[in-house]
Amino acid sequence: MEPIDFNRLGRQTKPSREGDMLQSVGLRPTAQRLLLTRLLFGGGDRHVTAEILYEEASRSSSQISLATVYNTLNHFAELGLVRRVSVDGSKTYFDTNVSDHHHFYLEARHELIDVPVEHIALGSLPEIPEGYEISRVDMVVRLRRKSRE
């Protein structure tokens, strides 16, 4: 992937696809948001951590902090542009595919793979407490290589 000129992003004269996406959810298309949006959505569905996205942004000519990347990803998740997927409680991936689906997690490679919802049959769920409703069911199936026997 070729580096993105961070300084050029804010001076675009015509509206970009990324700018349209940000404006559609009520966000001002700042140079940093445009950069992160282009990295996230420019090449199909992705699963990234804030650290991965920060490294990609750092390879461009941008000046962006890890805190800004975290804040932007979390804001994007709140607005429904990306979906948070927690693994181990300590690592959060951000998924650009926000449709209903589940994941395989390859432990050795620290990689998530989409699994279509129709490929997993869930049994019954426990009774939901009064006053609550299910917003989404996320299943992460952890995979590791078989040990040699």
Side-chain angles (χ1 to χ4, degrees):
M1 178 183 303
E2 86 180 56
I4 295 170
D5 183 356
F6 178 76
N7 297 314
R8 199 181 78 226
L9 288 175
R11 294 192 302 261
Q12 293 179 346
T13 55
K14 63 178 183 161
S16 66
R17 185 178 72 106
E18 294 85 5
D20 291 343
M21 178 185 288
L22 293 171
Q23 289 177 336
S24 75
V25 294
L27 290 177
R28 191 168 49 89
T30 64
Q32 291 174 326
R33 286 180 184 147
L34 287 167
L35 168 66
L36 297 176
T37 302
R38 184 166 296 140
L39 291 170
L40 277 169
F41 300 100
D45 291 335
R46 304 186 62 197
H47 303 96
V48 298
T49 62
E51 292 79 9
I52 290 169
L53 193 58
Y54 171 74
E55 288 298 319
E56 291 176 7
S58 296
R59 287 194 292 268
S60 70
S61 61
S62 68
Q63 296 292 321
I64 193 165
S65 70
L66 181 58
T68 297
V69 174
Y70 267 107
N71 290 337
T72 302
L73 284 170
N74 282 311
H75 200 180
F76 283 5
E78 290 166 10
L79 294 169
L81 291 175
V82 295
R83 173 176 162 181
R84 284 185 198 95
V85 180
S86 294
V87 178
D88 284 339
S90 63
K91 183 169 274 211
T92 299
Y93 287 84
F94 294 86
D95 188 351
T96 60
N97 177 358
V98 294
S99 69
D100 284 338
H101 67 282
H102 302 291
H103 294 94
F104 283 137
Y105 178 66
L106 306 179
E107 292 178 334
R109 295 172 57 178
H110 305 286
E111 182 180 343
L112 284 173
I113 298 171
D114 288 344
V115 178
V117 72
E118 63 271 9
H119 289 204
I120 294 182
L122 295 175
S124 63
L125 295 173
E127 189 172 322
I128 307 304
E130 180 79 27
Y132 288 88
E133 65 183 6
I134 296 173
S135 65
R136 184 175 73 220
V137 175
D138 291 324
M139 180 181 292
V140 176
V141 179
R142 301 174 62 94
L143 303 176
R144 67 174 173 235
R145 293 249 180 227
K146 289 183 177 180
S147 58
R148 297 182 190 214
E149 295 177 13

mmCIF file of all heavy atoms in Angstrom, residues 46-48 73 76-77 80-86 92-103 114 136-139:
data_model
loop_
_atom_site.group_PDB
_atom_site.id
_atom_site.type_symbol
_atom_site.label_atom_id
_atom_site.label_comp_id
_atom_site.label_asym_id
_atom_site.label_seq_id
_atom_site.Cartn_x
_atom_site.Cartn_y
_atom_site.Cartn_z
ATOM 1 N N ARG A 46 -11.932 -5.472 7.004
ATOM 2 C CA ARG A 46 -10.704 -5.659 7.777
ATOM 3 C C ARG A 46 -11.017 -5.830 9.251
ATOM 4 O O ARG A 46 -12.039 -5.367 9.736
ATOM 5 C CB ARG A 46 -9.804 -4.423 7.653
ATOM 6 C CG ARG A 46 -9.446 -4.034 6.256
ATOM 7 C CD ARG A 46 -8.451 -2.899 6.243
ATOM 8 N NE ARG A 46 -7.217 -3.329 6.886
ATOM 9 C CZ ARG A 46 -6.296 -2.496 7.320
ATOM 10 N NH1 ARG A 46 -6.437 -1.209 7.202
ATOM 11 N NH2 ARG A 46 -5.197 -2.961 7.885
ATOM 12 N N HIS A 47 -10.079 -6.438 9.952
ATOM 13 C CA HIS A 47 -10.091 -6.530 11.411
ATOM 14 C C HIS A 47 -8.766 -5.925 11.867
ATOM 15 O O HIS A 47 -7.709 -6.494 11.583
ATOM 16 C CB HIS A 47 -10.158 -7.986 11.877
ATOM 17 C CG HIS A 47 -11.332 -8.732 11.340
ATOM 18 N ND1 HIS A 47 -11.249 -9.535 10.217
ATOM 19 C CD2 HIS A 47 -12.615 -8.790 11.758
ATOM 20 C CE1 HIS A 47 -12.429 -10.070 9.984
ATOM 21 N NE2 HIS A 47 -13.275 -9.632 10.900
ATOM 22 N N VAL A 48 -8.819 -4.794 12.554
ATOM 23 C CA VAL A 48 -7.588 -4.139 12.988
ATOM 24 C C VAL A 48 -7.671 -3.761 14.453
ATOM 25 O O VAL A 48 -8.755 -3.507 14.978
ATOM 26 C CB VAL A 48 -7.275 -2.868 12.158
ATOM 27 C CG1 VAL A 48 -7.059 -3.186 10.694
ATOM 28 C CG2 VAL A 48 -8.337 -1.809 12.328
ATOM 29 N N LEU A 73 -11.367 5.286 16.596
ATOM 30 C CA LEU A 73 -11.957 3.951 16.427
ATOM 31 C C LEU A 73 -13.149 3.747 17.358
ATOM 32 O O LEU A 73 -14.183 3.215 16.959
ATOM 33 C CB LEU A 73 -10.912 2.861 16.644
ATOM 34 C CG LEU A 73 -9.924 2.656 15.507
ATOM 35 C CD1 LEU A 73 -8.790 1.729 15.947
ATOM 36 C CD2 LEU A 73 -10.623 2.111 14.273
ATOM 37 N N PHE A 76 -15.985 5.776 16.014
ATOM 38 C CA PHE A 76 -16.546 5.090 14.849
ATOM 39 C C PHE A 76 -17.425 3.918 15.287
ATOM 40 O O PHE A 76 -18.479 3.670 14.697
ATOM 41 C CB PHE A 76 -15.440 4.572 13.930
ATOM 42 C CG PHE A 76 -14.771 5.617 13.070
ATOM 43 C CD1 PHE A 76 -15.058 6.966 13.178
ATOM 44 C CD2 PHE A 76 -13.820 5.229 12.142
ATOM 45 C CE1 PHE A 76 -14.432 7.916 12.375
ATOM 46 C CE2 PHE A 76 -13.194 6.160 11.322
ATOM 47 C CZ PHE A 76 -13.502 7.502 11.439
ATOM 48 N N ALA A 77 -17.003 3.192 16.321
ATOM 49 C CA ALA A 77 -17.791 2.057 16.820
ATOM 50 C C ALA A 77 -19.121 2.540 17.402
ATOM 51 O O ALA A 77 -20.170 1.935 17.162
ATOM 52 C CB ALA A 77 -17.004 1.268 17.855
ATOM 53 N N GLY A 80 -21.483 3.184 14.657
ATOM 54 C CA GLY A 80 -21.842 2.048 13.820
ATOM 55 C C GLY A 80 -21.029 1.897 12.548
ATOM 56 O O GLY A 80 -21.373 1.082 11.694
ATOM 57 N N LEU A 81 -19.940 2.649 12.410
ATOM 58 C CA LEU A 81 -19.088 2.500 11.224
ATOM 59 C C LEU A 81 -18.230 1.244 11.305
ATOM 60 O O LEU A 81 -17.899 0.648 10.286
ATOM 61 C CB LEU A 81 -18.179 3.725 11.046
ATOM 62 C CG LEU A 81 -18.867 5.025 10.661
ATOM 63 C CD1 LEU A 81 -17.863 6.170 10.645
ATOM 64 C CD2 LEU A 81 -19.555 4.883 9.308
ATOM 65 N N VAL A 82 -17.824 0.886 12.520
ATOM 66 C CA VAL A 82 -17.063 -0.340 12.758
ATOM 67 C C VAL A 82 -17.690 -1.055 13.948
ATOM 68 O O VAL A 82 -18.492 -0.478 14.683
ATOM 69 C CB VAL A 82 -15.558 -0.072 13.028
ATOM 70 C CG1 VAL A 82 -14.862 0.523 11.824
ATOM 71 C CG2 VAL A 82 -15.354 0.783 14.265
ATOM 72 N N ARG A 83 -17.280 -2.280 14.137
ATOM 73 C CA ARG A 83 -17.814 -3.108 15.218
ATOM 74 C C ARG A 83 -16.649 -3.556 16.088
ATOM 75 O O ARG A 83 -15.617 -3.992 15.580
ATOM 76 C CB ARG A 83 -18.492 -4.291 14.559
ATOM 77 C CG ARG A 83 -18.988 -5.367 15.436
ATOM 78 C CD ARG A 83 -19.698 -6.373 14.537
ATOM 79 N NE ARG A 83 -19.843 -7.635 15.207
ATOM 80 C CZ ARG A 83 -20.394 -8.687 14.666
ATOM 81 N NH1 ARG A 83 -20.845 -8.646 13.433
ATOM 82 N NH2 ARG A 83 -20.501 -9.797 15.338
ATOM 83 N N ARG A 84 -16.791 -3.419 17.402
ATOM 84 C CA ARG A 84 -15.761 -3.896 18.332
ATOM 85 C C ARG A 84 -15.888 -5.409 18.488
ATOM 86 O O ARG A 84 -16.986 -5.928 18.667
ATOM 87 C CB ARG A 84 -15.939 -3.279 19.706
ATOM 88 C CG ARG A 84 -15.500 -1.867 19.838
ATOM 89 C CD ARG A 84 -15.620 -1.421 21.311
ATOM 90 N NE ARG A 84 -15.620 0.001 21.418
ATOM 91 C CZ ARG A 84 -16.700 0.776 21.475
ATOM 92 N NH1 ARG A 84 -17.899 0.229 21.461
ATOM 93 N NH2 ARG A 84 -16.605 2.069 21.563
ATOM 94 N N VAL A 85 -14.737 -6.096 18.455
ATOM 95 C CA VAL A 85 -14.696 -7.530 18.726
ATOM 96 C C VAL A 85 -13.608 -7.739 19.773
ATOM 97 O O VAL A 85 -12.432 -7.498 19.509
ATOM 98 C CB VAL A 85 -14.374 -8.359 17.457
ATOM 99 C CG1 VAL A 85 -14.335 -9.843 17.783
ATOM 100 C CG2 VAL A 85 -15.378 -8.067 16.350
ATOM 101 N N SER A 86 -14.013 -8.167 20.965
ATOM 102 C CA SER A 86 -13.050 -8.374 22.039
ATOM 103 C C SER A 86 -12.536 -9.803 22.032
ATOM 104 O O SER A 86 -13.304 -10.744 21.876
ATOM 105 C CB SER A 86 -13.686 -8.088 23.398
ATOM 106 O OG SER A 86 -14.011 -6.729 23.486
ATOM 107 N N THR A 92 -8.789 -5.702 21.661
ATOM 108 C CA THR A 92 -9.997 -5.362 20.925
ATOM 109 C C THR A 92 -9.647 -5.129 19.474
ATOM 110 O O THR A 92 -8.735 -4.371 19.153
ATOM 111 C CB THR A 92 -10.664 -4.100 21.505
ATOM 112 O OG1 THR A 92 -11.016 -4.362 22.858
ATOM 113 C CG2 THR A 92 -11.905 -3.720 20.726
ATOM 114 N N TYR A 93 -10.381 -5.809 18.607
ATOM 115 C CA TYR A 93 -10.269 -5.590 17.174
ATOM 116 C C TYR A 93 -11.451 -4.731 16.745
ATOM 117 O O TYR A 93 -12.517 -4.774 17.363
ATOM 118 C CB TYR A 93 -10.308 -6.923 16.415
ATOM 119 C CG TYR A 93 -9.048 -7.731 16.558
ATOM 120 C CD1 TYR A 93 -8.857 -8.551 17.662
ATOM 121 C CD2 TYR A 93 -8.046 -7.662 15.600
ATOM 122 C CE1 TYR A 93 -7.691 -9.290 17.793
ATOM 123 C CE2 TYR A 93 -6.880 -8.394 15.729
ATOM 124 C CZ TYR A 93 -6.711 -9.204 16.834
ATOM 125 O OH TYR A 93 -5.561 -9.923 16.969
ATOM 126 N N PHE A 94 -11.263 -3.986 15.681
ATOM 127 C CA PHE A 94 -12.333 -3.207 15.095
ATOM 128 C C PHE A 94 -12.586 -3.781 13.712
ATOM 129 O O PHE A 94 -11.676 -3.901 12.902
ATOM 130 C CB PHE A 94 -11.956 -1.724 15.046
ATOM 131 C CG PHE A 94 -11.836 -1.127 16.425
ATOM 132 C CD1 PHE A 94 -10.647 -1.207 17.127
ATOM 133 C CD2 PHE A 94 -12.932 -0.527 17.029
ATOM 134 C CE1 PHE A 94 -10.540 -0.685 18.407
ATOM 135 C CE2 PHE A 94 -12.829 -0.003 18.310
ATOM 136 C CZ PHE A 94 -11.636 -0.079 19.004
ATOM 137 N N ASP A 95 -13.825 -4.180 13.483
ATOM 138 C CA ASP A 95 -14.231 -4.884 12.273
ATOM 139 C C ASP A 95 -14.997 -3.923 11.382
ATOM 140 O O ASP A 95 -15.989 -3.330 11.812
ATOM 141 C CB ASP A 95 -15.115 -6.067 12.684
ATOM 142 C CG ASP A 95 -15.458 -7.013 11.563
ATOM 143 O OD1 ASP A 95 -15.176 -6.701 10.391
ATOM 144 O OD2 ASP A 95 -16.035 -8.075 11.866
ATOM 145 N N THR A 96 -14.563 -3.777 10.133
ATOM 146 C CA THR A 96 -15.264 -2.885 9.210
ATOM 147 C C THR A 96 -16.526 -3.521 8.645
ATOM 148 O O THR A 96 -17.347 -2.834 8.045
ATOM 149 C CB THR A 96 -14.345 -2.445 8.053
ATOM 150 O OG1 THR A 96 -13.907 -3.597 7.334
ATOM 151 C CG2 THR A 96 -13.155 -1.648 8.567
ATOM 152 N N ASN A 97 -16.693 -4.825 8.836
ATOM 153 C CA ASN A 97 -17.916 -5.513 8.420
ATOM 154 C C ASN A 97 -18.882 -5.469 9.598
ATOM 155 O O ASN A 97 -18.715 -6.195 10.570
ATOM 156 C CB ASN A 97 -17.595 -6.960 8.029
ATOM 157 C CG ASN A 97 -18.820 -7.761 7.653
ATOM 158 O OD1 ASN A 97 -19.942 -7.291 7.710
ATOM 159 N ND2 ASN A 97 -18.596 -9.005 7.277
ATOM 160 N N VAL A 98 -19.884 -4.618 9.502
ATOM 161 C CA VAL A 98 -20.814 -4.446 10.625
ATOM 162 C C VAL A 98 -22.076 -5.298 10.483
ATOM 163 O O VAL A 98 -22.995 -5.190 11.298
ATOM 164 C CB VAL A 98 -21.182 -2.953 10.828
ATOM 165 C CG1 VAL A 98 -19.969 -2.147 11.270
ATOM 166 C CG2 VAL A 98 -21.821 -2.360 9.589
ATOM 167 N N SER A 99 -22.120 -6.165 9.468
ATOM 168 C CA SER A 99 -23.274 -7.054 9.310
ATOM 169 C C SER A 99 -23.229 -8.144 10.389
ATOM 170 O O SER A 99 -22.204 -8.348 11.041
ATOM 171 C CB SER A 99 -23.255 -7.697 7.921
ATOM 172 O OG SER A 99 -22.177 -8.613 7.818
ATOM 173 N N ASP A 100 -24.344 -8.865 10.560
ATOM 174 C CA ASP A 100 -24.379 -9.966 11.528
ATOM 175 C C ASP A 100 -23.473 -11.091 11.057
ATOM 176 O O ASP A 100 -23.661 -11.621 9.953
ATOM 177 C CB ASP A 100 -25.808 -10.505 11.688
ATOM 178 C CG ASP A 100 -26.677 -9.583 12.516
ATOM 179 O OD1 ASP A 100 -26.124 -8.774 13.290
ATOM 180 O OD2 ASP A 100 -27.909 -9.672 12.392
ATOM 181 N N HIS A 101 -22.482 -11.425 11.861
ATOM 182 C CA HIS A 101 -21.586 -12.546 11.574
ATOM 183 C C HIS A 101 -20.789 -12.855 12.833
ATOM 184 O O HIS A 101 -20.833 -12.105 13.810
ATOM 185 C CB HIS A 101 -20.659 -12.238 10.383
ATOM 186 C CG HIS A 101 -19.664 -11.154 10.632
ATOM 187 N ND1 HIS A 101 -19.997 -9.815 10.607
ATOM 188 C CD2 HIS A 101 -18.342 -11.207 10.912
ATOM 189 C CE1 HIS A 101 -18.920 -9.096 10.860
ATOM 190 N NE2 HIS A 101 -17.908 -9.909 11.058
ATOM 191 N N HIS A 102 -20.084 -13.970 12.809
ATOM 192 C CA HIS A 102 -19.256 -14.404 13.932
ATOM 193 C C HIS A 102 -17.808 -14.487 13.447
ATOM 194 O O HIS A 102 -17.508 -14.108 12.310
ATOM 195 C CB HIS A 102 -19.759 -15.758 14.457
ATOM 196 C CG HIS A 102 -21.197 -15.712 14.884
ATOM 197 N ND1 HIS A 102 -21.621 -15.010 15.985
ATOM 198 C CD2 HIS A 102 -22.312 -16.251 14.333
ATOM 199 C CE1 HIS A 102 -22.940 -15.140 16.119
ATOM 200 N NE2 HIS A 102 -23.377 -15.886 15.120
ATOM 201 N N HIS A 103 -16.922 -14.990 14.320
ATOM 202 C CA HIS A 103 -15.500 -15.003 13.974
ATOM 203 C C HIS A 103 -14.794 -16.275 14.429
ATOM 204 O O HIS A 103 -15.127 -16.831 15.472
ATOM 205 C CB HIS A 103 -14.774 -13.820 14.640
ATOM 206 C CG HIS A 103 -15.222 -12.505 14.121
ATOM 207 N ND1 HIS A 103 -16.203 -11.770 14.733
ATOM 208 C CD2 HIS A 103 -14.839 -11.803 13.029
ATOM 209 C CE1 HIS A 103 -16.390 -10.654 14.045
ATOM 210 N NE2 HIS A 103 -15.578 -10.652 13.008
ATOM 211 N N ASP A 114 -13.940 -13.826 9.378
ATOM 212 C CA ASP A 114 -15.406 -13.770 9.420
ATOM 213 C C ASP A 114 -16.016 -15.143 9.176
ATOM 214 O O ASP A 114 -15.551 -15.897 8.328
ATOM 215 C CB ASP A 114 -15.938 -12.816 8.351
ATOM 216 C CG ASP A 114 -15.666 -11.362 8.675
ATOM 217 O OD1 ASP A 114 -15.349 -11.040 9.829
ATOM 218 O OD2 ASP A 114 -15.793 -10.549 7.748
ATOM 219 N N ARG A 136 -27.091 -7.821 20.228
ATOM 220 C CA ARG A 136 -26.324 -8.602 19.251
ATOM 221 C C ARG A 136 -25.691 -9.782 19.989
ATOM 222 O O ARG A 136 -25.378 -9.695 21.158
ATOM 223 C CB ARG A 136 -25.232 -7.718 18.641
ATOM 224 C CG ARG A 136 -24.445 -8.387 17.553
ATOM 225 C CD ARG A 136 -23.463 -7.445 16.883
ATOM 226 N NE ARG A 136 -22.337 -7.168 17.749
ATOM 227 C CZ ARG A 136 -21.769 -5.977 17.884
ATOM 228 N NH1 ARG A 136 -22.230 -4.943 17.222
ATOM 229 N NH2 ARG A 136 -20.756 -5.814 18.676
ATOM 230 N N VAL A 137 -25.514 -10.882 19.281
ATOM 231 C CA VAL A 137 -24.793 -12.032 19.820
ATOM 232 C C VAL A 137 -23.489 -12.133 19.046
ATOM 233 O O VAL A 137 -23.486 -12.219 17.826
ATOM 234 C CB VAL A 137 -25.612 -13.341 19.665
ATOM 235 C CG1 VAL A 137 -24.785 -14.537 20.122
ATOM 236 C CG2 VAL A 137 -26.912 -13.249 20.444
ATOM 237 N N ASP A 138 -22.371 -12.066 19.767
ATOM 238 C CA ASP A 138 -21.046 -12.181 19.159
ATOM 239 C C ASP A 138 -20.419 -13.489 19.597
ATOM 240 O O ASP A 138 -20.297 -13.748 20.796
ATOM 241 C CB ASP A 138 -20.121 -11.050 19.621
ATOM 242 C CG ASP A 138 -20.519 -9.709 19.080
ATOM 243 O OD1 ASP A 138 -20.972 -9.652 17.933
ATOM 244 O OD2 ASP A 138 -20.364 -8.711 19.800
ATOM 245 N N MET A 139 -20.037 -14.297 18.636
ATOM 246 C CA MET A 139 -19.351 -15.539 18.959
ATOM 247 C C MET A 139 -17.961 -15.507 18.338
ATOM 248 O O MET A 139 -17.819 -15.206 17.158
ATOM 249 C CB MET A 139 -20.117 -16.755 18.446
ATOM 250 C CG MET A 139 -19.396 -18.057 18.790
ATOM 251 S SD MET A 139 -20.256 -19.511 18.186
ATOM 252 C CE MET A 139 -21.709 -19.480 19.196
#
